[in-house]
């Protein structure tokens, strides 16, 4: 065994090769867990856990009301499977 091999095993170094191995990416600390912990969980899940209910979303409520009015007038979106493409396919 050469001195290089012994020192490599002793100091736990990787063997020297003539090309890039990408080992520096593997030895870096993984930050994903810390970044995920920084941001809070969704507000709905926190409300459900601590308050026992999910508060209504005003934007979603407005959207549903608007769709209801459009459906009454006959100008709402088509039901699933009855759009322009589905009609073409059935012809």
């Amino acid at each position: 065994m050469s001195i290089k091999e012994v020192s490599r095993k002793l100091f736990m170094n990787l063997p020297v090769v003539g090309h890039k191995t990408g080992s520096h990416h593997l030895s870096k600390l993984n930050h994903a867990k810390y970044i995920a912990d920084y941001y809070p969980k969704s507000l709905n899940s926190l409300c459900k856990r601590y308050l026992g209910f999910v508060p209504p979303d005003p934007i979603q409520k407005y959207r549903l009301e608007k769709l209801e009015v459009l459906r009454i007038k006959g100008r709402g979106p088509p039901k699933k499977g009855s759009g322009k493409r589905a009609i073409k396919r059935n012809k």
Side-chain angles (χ1 to χ4, degrees):
M1 223 185 258
S2 68
I3 296 176
K4 285 184 181 179
E5 288 291 320
V6 173
S7 68
R8 186 175 65 79
K9 287 185 179 181
L10 180 68
F11 298 114
M12 292 183 269
N13 291 334
L14 294 173
V16 178
V17 291
H19 53 82
K20 294 183 178 182
T21 60
S23 62
H24 64 283
H25 293 293
L26 298 174
S27 63
K28 278 186 180 179
L29 181 65
N30 190 359
H31 297 289
K33 181 183 178 297
Y34 302 108
I35 292 172
D37 289 343
Y38 176 79
Y39 293 102
K41 307 291 184 229
S42 73
L43 190 60
N44 287 343
S45 66
L46 292 175
C47 287
K48 196 173 200 178
R49 180 185 298 165
Y50 295 111
L51 300 177
F53 68 95
V54 179
D57 184 18
I59 297 171
Q60 178 75 0
K61 189 176 176 184
Y62 171 74
R63 189 181 74 80
L64 291 174
E65 288 172 0
K66 190 172 73 171
L67 283 175
E68 182 79 25
V69 170
L70 286 175
R71 281 198 186 105
I72 291 170
K73 291 180 181 179
R75 292 188 280 157
K79 290 189 177 177
K80 189 173 180 180
S82 64
K84 197 183 255 186
R85 281 186 166 186
I87 293 171
K88 275 186 188 177
R89 199 177 315 138
N90 291 337
K91 283 185 179 181

